[in-house]
Amino acid sequence: MKKLAILVSGRGSNFEAIARQIRAGKLQAEIAAVVANVPSAKALETAETLGLPAISLPSKGIDTDTYAAMVVEQLAPLGIDLIILAGFMRRVGTPLLEAYRDRILNIHPSLLPSFPGLHVQQQALDYGVKFSGCTVHFVDAGLDTGPIVAQAVVPVLDGDTADTLAARILVEEHKIFSEAIALILSGAYRVEGRRVIRKD
Ligand code: GAR
C-alpha cells in the first residue's frame, strides 16, 4: 500500500476528507503520518480520533529550510511515497523538496495561476472574477507554481463574502484532492513541461 504523509496547519477538513475516502475503500493508500506545524491544529485531534499517527512539530521561530530538514528526519523511517499539503500554511524548504522531488502535492483555494498566496478568496472577490475554484498541484520552489494536477471551478455569486466563497470552494477541494492523489499514486500520468497528462 502506498504511504502518505499529510502536513497540516489548522482545521484539517481536507485531511479528514482524504482519510474518509481511504476508509471507504475509494482511495488505495495508507496515512502513515499527520504532521502539524501548529500544535493547536484541530487536525491533530482528528488524526487521534481516527487512530492515525499524529505528530506535532511546531515551526514557530524556525526558518523554512531548518524546518524542512526536521520534517525530512521525522518522515525518513516511514517510507513515505507522497507528501500531501492539506492546509499547510508554510513554505516548503529545500531539504523537503529535494528529498521528495515531484512527490509533494498541495491544494490551493483558487484557480492558479490566479491568486497565489494568502487570503485568496478575498483576492478573488476584490478582483471581481465571476468564477473561482481550487487547484491541486505539484509543489516546487515557487509560491503555488508547480504543475497542475486537477482543478475545479465554482461560481462567484453577487452576495458572496470570503467565507461563503471559501465554503463553496471547500466542497470541491474535498472531491478533487483524493482524485488527484489517486492519479499520482497510480503512476498513470506523465509530466510534459508544465502539463500533467493522464496516460491511457
Ligand atoms: C483549504 O481551503 C486549503 O485549500 C487552503 O487552506 C484551507 C485549509 O482547510 N490552503 C491554502 O491556502 C494553502 N496556500 P482545511 O484545514 O480544512 O483542509
Side-chain angles (χ1 to χ4, degrees):
M1 191 68 83
K2 296 280 171 103
K3 289 187 177 178
L4 307 177
I6 307 207
L7 271 53
V8 294
S9 297
R11 179 178 55 187
S13 72
N14 274 288
F15 147 57
E16 193 170 351
I18 293 162
R20 296 206 180 283
Q21 288 291 104
I22 292 173
R23 292 245 156 137
K26 293 178 183 160
L27 175 61
Q28 307 304 314
E30 174 193 339
I31 297 174
V34 179
V35 180
N37 72 315
V38 177
S40 60
K42 182 168 173 275
L44 283 174
E45 280 172 42
T46 307
E48 277 162 17
T49 305
L50 294 173
L52 294 168
I55 300 168
S56 176
L57 192 65
S59 65
K60 199 169 178 190
I62 302 172
D63 71 78
T64 302
D65 281 353
T66 303
Y67 187 72
M70 288 163 58
V71 175
V72 169
E73 192 181 334
Q74 281 285 332
L75 299 184
L78 303 178
I80 298 300
D81 295 291
L82 190 63
I83 294 182
I84 306 299
L85 307 186
F88 182 68
M89 306 308 272
R90 272 203 66 157
R91 295 293 292 270
V92 173
T94 310
L96 198 57
L97 290 171
E98 285 180 351
Y100 295 89
R101 190 173 294 283
D102 302 328
R103 292 192 295 147
I104 307 177
L105 292 180
N106 179 47
I107 191 149
H108 183 79
S110 77
L111 291 174
L112 292 171
S114 291
F115 314 126
L118 297 175
H119 311 298
V120 299
Q121 296 90 353
Q122 190 60 51
Q123 285 188 54
L125 291 176
D126 291 346
Y127 197 94
V129 293
K130 299 299 184 193
F131 292 91
S132 188
C134 49
T135 303
V136 179
H137 62 95
F138 283 108
V139 175
D140 63 15
L143 177 63
D144 302 322
T145 52
I148 289 171
V149 180
Q151 289 186 306
V153 179
V154 305
V156 178
L157 305 180
D158 287 346
D160 266 338
T161 63
D163 286 346
T164 59
L165 178 57
R168 192 174 309 114
I169 293 170
L170 195 65
V171 172
E172 300 305 316
E173 293 186 40
H174 293 169
K175 294 180 196 162
I176 68 166
F177 213 177
S178 289
E179 290 167 6
I181 292 166
L183 173 67
I184 300 311
L185 288 181
S186 76
Y189 70 96
R190 64 181 191 279
V191 182
E192 283 180 15
R194 294 198 46 84
R195 301 180 68 194
V196 179
I197 297 169
R198 281 170 196 265
K199 287 187 197 161
D200 294 330

